[in-house]
Amino acid sequence: MKKAISVFSGGLDCTVATCVYDNDYEIHAITFNYGQKAFAQELKASRKICEKMGWTHEVIDLPWLSDISNSSLNTDEDIPEVSENNLDDIDKSSETASNVWVPARNTVFTSIALSYAESIGAEIIIVGWNNEEGLTFPDNSQEFLNEFNELIKVGSPDKIRIEAPAINLNKEELVELGVKVGAPMKLSYSCYKGEDEPCGVCESCVRRNRAFKKVGI
């Protein structure tokens, strides 16, 4: 069976994206530990989902990324809280995105995933990048996806491509896709703060909650 590497945090986006390819690929999920506050909960969610779906799962530690990061995701700085009314305010969302930005995170993650893809003969790398977050996170954008795939064409001897099935979707549409492909979304964890119960007030939680509410779940 064809093989795929999934950059997998146990969150909503990557869970749905990976399930899109579940029937056609042998999935090898990778979870990164870069000192994020939510790592314990992300690991728990990732393990539950991978066990349920029959995917292999591996954790990669990146302590150096934590050491150089000034992000509130992996420092003592408080994670910003937002209201649903502010989600579509590009200025406020950009400010929040800057606060939680981890230096070159998706570039690092995807490059490591490419190494794994070459080593096991995987044809695709699955990511949960989506249009809603791509508005404020440049490493979630269509442009970033296109350029990285061009880089792989130049820099890898293998025919590997990044697949981002939600790249043109907002969160509501992503949840609808999750329903369509039978993704175990209720097992996923998206909170930045890493508490046992999702905080409900960080940007990730608020975007997730709004999407499910709009879909009627």
Side-chain angles (χ1 to χ4, degrees):
M1 193 175 190
K2 296 181 294 185
K3 297 177 182 179
I5 300 292
S6 172
V7 178
F8 198 74
S9 68
L12 172 65
D13 305 340
C14 60
T15 297
V16 172
T18 307
C19 284
V20 169
Y21 300 95
D22 178 58
N23 291 329
D24 299 318
Y25 290 86
E26 177 185 301
I27 306 293
H28 298 259
I30 300 174
T31 299
F32 292 98
N33 175 13
Y34 54 99
Q36 67 271 39
K37 291 168 180 161
F39 174 67
Q41 296 298 332
E42 290 179 3
L43 179 60
K44 184 186 299 183
S46 296
R47 284 175 171 168
K48 286 181 179 179
I49 294 167
C50 288
E51 181 178 356
K52 178 178 178 62
M53 300 302 297
W55 303 336
T56 63
H57 181 242
E58 184 170 350
V59 175
I60 297 178
D61 295 319
L62 300 175
W64 60 269
L65 185 54
S66 175
D67 291 341
I68 67 171
S69 174
N70 293 317
S71 171
S72 61
L73 295 188
N74 50 9
T75 64
D76 293 333
E77 185 178 349
D78 291 335
I79 290 173
E81 298 180 358
V82 301
S83 68
E84 186 174 317
N85 293 333
N86 291 332
L87 287 181
D88 298 322
D89 185 321
I90 193 66
D91 291 331
K92 292 182 179 179
S93 293
S94 295
E95 182 178 347
T96 302
S98 176
N99 187 282
V100 300
W101 178 264
V102 177
R105 180 176 60 178
N106 280 352
T107 303
V108 172
F109 290 179
T110 312
S111 297
I112 293 173
L114 175 60
S115 293
Y116 269 69
E118 288 186 1
S119 71
I120 69 169
E123 296 184 8
I124 64 172
I125 298 165
I126 306 167
V127 295
W129 308 340
N130 60 87
N131 183 63
E132 184 166 325
E133 291 180 329
L135 295 175
T136 51
F137 291 93
D139 60 357
N140 271 253
S141 67
Q142 179 74 63
E143 182 181 10
F144 184 74
L145 173 65
N146 293 344
E147 294 295 336
F148 213 120
N149 271 326
E150 287 302 313
L151 175 65
I152 293 174
K153 288 180 183 178
V154 174
S156 174
D158 300 330
K159 292 183 178 179
I160 299 168
R161 66 187 184 279
I162 305 168
E163 292 287 355
I167 196 68
N168 294 312
L169 306 182
N170 60 32
K171 291 280 186 176
E172 178 184 354
E173 294 166 327
L174 189 144
V175 170
E176 291 174 338
L177 177 61
V179 172
K180 180 179 178 180
V181 299
M185 295 184 288
K186 70 178 182 179
L187 297 180
S188 64
Y189 184 91
S190 304
C191 181
Y192 285 155
K193 294 189 178 184
E195 300 168 352
D196 289 341
E197 293 294 327
C199 70
V201 292
C202 71
E203 182 176 348
S204 185
C205 276
V206 176
R207 288 191 184 280
R208 175 190 176 111
N209 292 344
R210 181 177 70 170
F212 277 109
K213 184 168 61 177
K214 284 186 174 182
V215 175
I217 299 176

